[in-house]
Amino acid sequence: MATELKEVDVVLVGFGLTGAILARELGGRGLKIVALERGIRRETNPDFAVPRIRDELRYAQRTDLMMDTSRDTITFRHRLTEPALPMRRLGAFLPGEGVGGAAVHWNGFAWRWLPNKDQRARTFYEERFGKSFIPADMPLQDWGVTYDELEPYYDKFEYAFAVSGKAGNIKGQKQEGGNFFEPARQRELPLPPLKDGLATELFAQAARTMGYHPFLTPAANASQAYTSPDGVKFGACQYCGHCERFGCEANAKGSPHIAVVPVALRDPDVELRTQSWVTKVNLDSAGKRATSVTYTDVTTGAEYEQPAGLVVLCAYGLGNIHLMLLSNIGKPYDPVSGKGVVGKNYAYQVGGGVTLFFEDKAFNPFMGAGALSSRIDDFHANENFDNAKAGFIGGGTIGSSSSGGRPISYRPVPPGTPRWGSEWKRATAKWYQRSMGIAGTSSNMPNRYCYCDLDPTYKNAFGQPLMRLTYNFTENDFKTRDFMAQKAYEIGKSLNPTHITTPDPRREDFSLVPYQTTHNTGGTIMGLDRATSVVNKYLQSWDVSNVFVVGASCFPHNSAYNPTGPVAALAYRLADTIKDTYLKKPQSLV
Amino acid sequence: MAKDVGRRDFLTQIAAVGGAAVAGVSPAAEAAAPSEQAASAGQQASALANAGYTFLSAPEAAFIEALVDVIVPADELTPSGTDLGLATFIDRQLAGAWGKGDRLYQQGPWKEGSPGQGYQLPLTPAEFFRAGIEAVNRHCKEANGKEFDRLPAADKQKIMEDLEKGTITLDKISGKQFFDTAYQATMEGMFADPIYGGNRDKASWKMIGYPGVIAIHATNITTYRNKPYVVNPVSIADLS
């Protein structure tokens, strides 16, 4: 029997990026806040200290900072007719575990998503290309929240998390050196851009020559020492090449454990309980109001019930969906009837590109920063891009990144090289230093048959059903990917490399095995209509008004960009919604 | 003869040149130096290679040594896979947490699944290696009359190619899956920090010009633009 604890005002389920932002913003006003985090708390020192943190095997291959799939995982199938089987180890994506969540081991790409193509996606494509342009099995929809409503919160995030870069658009005025196509910002970014490497510089030269608009992407990798508005001190990025999948020993990466957690925990009314695994949100008998959450202390196995006036789901996106399904909040989505909402519009991302080999260049691939990337946005943010002519909905960015040539995973050799033996060794020794990549990252539109529900067979360590993911690539995905990969090839070819790989035009099934991207979106999507969304534009459950959900699970589709920027912006906005509106009148906000 | 930069020497060097170690020549461009390093590393490694195995039985160890020596033969760039410590690496990985199924969801029921659904066997990595070695050896004895490690070089090469292509059918497990797993473990041993038993004397890092765990490149990224940055690599143990 669970031990019942004293009621608090707010329970935050998960203490990663969004939970820590909410605690920081809601703290200091007399609210009793409890954050329940399934993992442990790690600090820069000693947990990310050199030399131990520079261990590619432990952190990058054995995924030491990530979710432990022996305890809870998902099951996966490509289509309704395939038996779903458990994802027995991590591969395609790497959700985090512990304080700071995946934003400890992220790269730091800090994009703003698009006012029209993202936040008003259905309206935009219908207005521009006609109502019949969006296929019937693509449940694309508007977010309900506009870019202008989010803009101040993007700004807040960028200043709190030490984002480096050059604005391309300040209050409608185009700025030299930034993303020519980006939406308007209220001011310049807090830190100047990172330094170019050879690969990013070559890409930019080639792209510019071809008439495109290259820029260095905004990066939560501090280009100089920096002090945030909260007084948090960041170190300067050392281009160490151990960013994604690692914690930063220099405090140069915008990570919650330095940017917001210590500030949030200054308030004695904010209590963090680590190794506390929430299994359920409990509802009243009418199913209209959350009364408490049940969690297990994973160090003792003891079960607790924590009553709360307000519950905010701040887990990684997949965890948010799972908890909604386990708690019977909202109607589960059924792809056959198209009815129900929880689990709907799961999306991922699609990438493809080419590798270039130069006899006469030296790239020093081990020098890099997590989000050091030169890219072009001519095929996504550019609203003049002709999707009808290209034949797909969505878009992509194309670029070259230098995040670090760690040798277990990064050893490019030209096509036709044997995989072992002395010839392989000579090619590896030669080309490690002489290669660069150019790749596209493409959006992923929702599909009627890509969704999450509860698995009928497999259970987690708490005896609960695993979540089941049904997902596969669609023709729209392949067309988008092929378009971007072809452009990447053309840009690469213009640099006259000694060798260049060619784009891979396969029509393959999605695979859980090789790493692709940790950008899992959808499942608890926001919207203007309760029949087609899980939460309203304020991220409040349509069905249980004292439950809010925040994360990439709220996106109705996946953009071509990394999701952390809008995830953080939504969390900052939610904090204002709760303190300025909801707490004054705790009821449905729509 | 290659000489490691010890922790104290390294810190002195850092202080002297302000974080930028002295650049040398590209290892790929200058074959003589790595060759010398390789010979020295080989001698050192042979002594260590006899340190013994904790998981692999003697026949299993012979198999793994043969396999890593096919993938990584001794040449002017590095000693053989065994002398690089790759069999030791695999042995320790199989004996340790990863080999015993750390982080692996191990609940049934078990079904074969499609390739995109990932690993679905009820075996831990250690059990999988054991089963794979036994199955490949059984195949070799039937097809070639001897265990894998006792075959002539050309036959070993052919077996590896056929395993990779998936044209050898083994009992119970997939030959291609076994090849892919053993190949990946060999690559991990070769390029991981030497603290795990492989990459002895940081020979694989020297082979490609990877500087190791010290990485203070905020200045180097500009200074060494299009110039190879070559230093004696530094490992975790060097700084511990």
Side-chain angles (χ1 to χ4, degrees):
Chain A
M1 203 49 203
T3 305
E4 187 165 335
L5 303 170
K6 196 160 170 269
E7 176 159 359
V8 296
D9 297 307
V10 184
V11 158
L12 304 171
V13 179
F15 209 54
L17 178 72
T18 58
I21 287 174
L22 279 156
R24 156 69 188 87
E25 297 298 310
L26 294 177
R29 57 194 65 238
L31 292 170
K32 290 274 181 202
I33 300 170
V34 165
L36 299 170
E37 164 55 47
R38 66 180 178 178
I40 59 171
R41 186 174 180 185
R42 299 182 188 89
E43 300 287 6
T44 301
N45 196 3
D47 298 303
F48 307 145
V50 172
R52 284 165 72 249
I53 193 63
R54 299 275 164 74
D55 182 342
E56 186 186 6
L57 185 74
R58 175 177 173 185
Y59 293 102
Q61 303 295 311
R62 305 281 185 257
T63 60
D64 197 79
L65 301 178
M66 289 89 164
M67 167 176 149
D68 180 351
T69 47
S70 72
R71 190 158 56 184
D72 189 55
T73 181
I74 58 166
T75 65
F76 169 71
R77 58 181 180 173
H78 295 94
R79 49 192 70 85
L80 300 183
T81 52
E82 186 176 65
L85 294 176
M87 178 175 80
R88 294 186 180 274
R89 54 166 67 108
L90 292 177
F93 43 85
L94 304 171
E97 189 165 293
V99 170
V104 170
H105 71 256
W106 72 314
N107 290 68
F109 284 100
W111 294 91
R112 293 178 174 209
W113 286 21
L114 301 173
N116 290 319
K117 285 185 160 181
D118 288 322
Q119 292 184 234
R120 295 172 65 246
R122 175 161 286 272
T123 304
F124 173 83
Y125 285 104
E126 284 187 354
E127 281 176 2
R128 181 66 59 88
F129 302 104
K131 279 205 183 300
S132 61
F133 189 60
I134 302 174
D137 63 356
M138 187 186 288
L140 194 58
Q141 58 192 62
D142 296 355
W143 292 23
V145 58
T146 66
Y147 174 78
D148 288 346
E149 287 173 299
L150 277 191
E151 200 285 331
Y153 302 107
Y154 275 117
D155 181 79
K156 198 164 186 174
F157 166 62
E158 288 153 359
Y159 275 73
F161 282 72
V163 175
S164 304
K166 181 80 189 70
N169 180 344
I170 297 176
K171 296 177 180 168
Q173 298 295 311
K174 300 279 187 192
Q175 309 289 313
E176 193 63 38
N179 180 358
F180 182 80
F181 301 106
E182 75 178 13
R185 301 168 183 273
Q186 59 176 280
R187 56 176 166 165
E188 187 51 87
L189 287 153
L191 286 162
L194 293 164
K195 294 172 194 165
D196 256 311
L198 180 62
T200 52
E201 188 180 77
L202 286 174
F203 171 81
Q205 281 170 9
R208 199 172 291 116
T209 305
M210 293 174 76
Y212 302 128
H213 300 79
F215 59 95
L216 285 177
T217 53
N221 310 141
S223 57
Q224 318 171 342
Y226 172 71
T227 304
S228 78
D230 271 335
V232 173
K233 295 197 183 313
F234 291 79
C237 174
Q238 295 302 310
Y239 300 76
C240 76
H242 293 73
C243 194
E244 73 282 1
R245 306 192 182 197
F246 300 81
C248 180
E249 93 281 2
N251 280 343
K253 176 159 58 169
S255 302
H257 78 284
I258 56 167
V260 278
V261 170
V263 188
L265 295 180
R266 271 183 218 152
D267 177 356
D269 286 336
V270 176
E271 187 193 345
L272 168 62
R273 295 181 200 151
T274 55
Q275 295 180 286
S276 298
W277 187 292
V278 177
T279 49
K280 197 174 181 190
V281 179
N282 302 301
L283 306 181
D284 66 7
S285 53
K288 294 286 180 202
R289 194 172 164 74
T291 53
S292 64
V293 302
T294 300
Y295 71 94
T296 300
D297 176 340
V298 298
T299 68
T300 63
E303 202 171 48
Y304 297 91
E305 190 179 335
Q306 175 62 67
L310 173 63
V311 176
V312 189
L313 305 191
C314 303
Y316 187 76
L318 296 169
N320 284 344
I321 316 167
H322 197 197
L323 203 51
M324 292 288 275
L325 291 166
L326 291 171
S327 308
N328 291 313
I329 303 175
K331 192 172 181 224
Y333 173 69
D334 170 17
V336 178
S337 67
K339 298 236 166 34
V341 286
V342 182
K344 181 175 182 270
N345 282 34
Y346 171 85
Y348 193 51
Q349 255 167 352
V350 198
V354 294
T355 307
L356 285 63
F357 302 86
F358 294 89
E359 194 77 52
D360 60 346
K361 295 201 183 341
F363 289 95
N364 296 318
F366 39 82
M367 298 179 189
L372 174 56
S373 186
S374 178
R375 308 197 75 78
I376 57 171
D377 209 347
D378 297 63
F379 307 115
H380 189 42
N382 176 10
E383 290 191 3
N384 292 321
F385 175 62
D386 190 345
N387 282 86
K389 192 173 159 203
F392 55 82
I393 295 175
T397 70
I398 297 166
S400 184
S401 301
S402 296
S403 65
R406 300 183 299 270
I408 295 175
S409 58
Y410 181 84
R411 286 172 280 102
V413 287
T417 304
R419 283 184 76 197
W420 66 80
S422 285
E423 197 182 335
W424 164 74
K425 286 169 68 181
R426 285 182 202 111
T428 303
K430 174 172 180 178
W431 295 109
Y432 176 73
Q433 181 57 281
R434 293 175 170 83
S435 310
M436 64 174 274
I438 299 178
T441 301
S442 301
S443 57
N444 192 209
M445 295 299 119
N447 178 272
R448 178 178 181 155
Y449 296 104
C450 297
Y451 76 109
C452 300
D453 63 355
L454 291 178
D455 188 89
T457 307
Y458 293 95
K459 303 269 195 283
N460 67 13
F462 306 90
Q464 298 180 295
L466 298 184
M467 190 163 73
R468 175 172 66 180
L469 168 65
T470 305
Y471 177 77
N472 210 357
F473 298 135
T474 65
E475 191 59 24
N476 191 73
D477 301 330
F478 292 128
K479 282 183 179 166
T480 317
R481 178 182 71 181
D482 291 352
F483 180 94
M484 302 304 156
Q486 180 59 31
K487 294 290 175 195
Y489 176 77
E490 288 164 13
I491 295 167
K493 195 79 181 151
S494 78
L495 287 164
N496 295 315
T498 313
H499 306 284
I500 182 168
T501 59
T502 49
D504 176 2
R506 284 178 305 154
R507 290 287 181 266
E508 81 284 9
D509 274 346
F510 166 70
S511 172
L512 270 184
V513 181
Y515 182 78
Q516 287 142 80
T517 171
T518 307
H519 303 160
N520 316 75
T521 64
T524 68
I525 65 176
M526 61 178 133
L528 293 166
D529 181 351
R530 62 184 303 149
T532 55
S533 57
V534 175
V535 293
N536 62 31
K537 65 175 282 193
Y538 300 103
L539 307 183
Q540 180 182 37
S541 163
W542 288 105
D543 301 280
V544 181
S545 65
N546 65 337
V547 169
F548 288 78
V549 186
V550 60
S553 56
C554 298
F555 301 159
H557 70 280
N558 204 345
S559 187
Y561 310 123
N562 307 57
T564 309
V567 167
L570 284 174
Y572 277 111
R573 177 168 179 268
L574 176 57
D576 274 1
T577 302
I578 290 171
K579 61 190 189 199
D580 298 342
T581 312
Y582 178 79
L583 288 175
K584 288 179 182 156
K585 209 173 173 187
Q587 62 182 30
S588 181
L589 300 174
V590 174
Chain B
M1 154 127 194
K3 192 162 162 258
D4 289 350
V5 181
R7 183 167 189 270
R8 275 181 202 81
D9 292 345
F10 181 81
L11 294 175
T12 312
Q13 196 183 11
I14 286 262
V17 299
V22 184
V25 288
S26 153
E30 194 74 13
S35 165
E36 243 181 289
Q37 287 170 9
S40 124
Q43 287 155 15
Q44 203 181 347
S46 295
L48 286 167
N50 297 329
Y53 296 102
T54 74
F55 173 80
L56 298 169
S57 68
E60 289 166 345
F63 181 101
I64 293 293
E65 289 184 359
L67 179 127
V68 301
D69 287 350
V70 174
I71 296 175
V72 186
D75 53 26
E76 77 283 5
L77 290 170
T78 72
S80 71
T82 300
D83 286 343
L84 262 182
L86 306 190
T88 305
F89 171 87
I90 291 173
D91 175 68
R92 291 181 191 172
Q93 288 296 306
L94 297 180
W98 179 76
K100 293 202 159 49
D102 187 35
R103 293 172 169 265
L104 184 68
Y105 181 83
Q106 293 190 68
Q107 296 183 42
W110 290 273
K111 291 177 186 160
E112 194 175 344
S114 63
Q117 290 176 303
Y119 185 78
Q120 291 299 337
L121 294 172
L123 305 172
T124 64
E127 292 165 340
F128 178 76
F129 264 81
R130 185 150 274 167
I133 292 168
E134 196 199 331
V136 175
N137 267 342
R138 202 178 315 127
H139 168 84
C140 290
K141 277 177 88 170
E142 281 164 19
N144 304 61
K146 288 178 189 163
E147 287 90 346
F148 177 75
D149 59 281
R150 297 167 69 193
L151 297 177
D155 288 359
K156 280 190 229 171
Q157 174 73 17
K158 179 78 169 60
I159 294 283
M160 298 275 279
E161 285 169 5
D162 290 347
L163 285 171
E164 186 194 21
K165 281 186 287 198
T167 54
I168 291 180
T169 306
L170 301 176
D171 286 348
K172 290 190 177 179
I173 70 163
S174 148
K176 176 162 175 52
Q177 191 178 9
F178 175 69
F179 173 87
D180 288 344
T181 307
Y183 181 85
Q184 174 64 15
T186 305
M187 292 300 114
E188 287 173 351
M190 184 157 180
F191 293 102
D193 191 283
I195 204 160
Y196 293 103
N199 189 14
R200 274 191 194 142
D201 197 34
K202 297 162 274 188
S204 317
W205 288 355
K206 289 171 187 165
M207 174 182 111
I208 59 172
Y210 177 70
V213 300
I214 270 290
I216 305 165
H217 296 309
T219 307
N220 296 336
I221 193 161
T222 306
T223 313
Y224 289 91
R225 172 78 43 86
N226 207 5
K227 283 180 256 174
Y229 172 84
V230 182
V231 290
N232 258 327
V234 177
S235 69
I236 291 172
D238 293 334
L239 295 184
S240 300

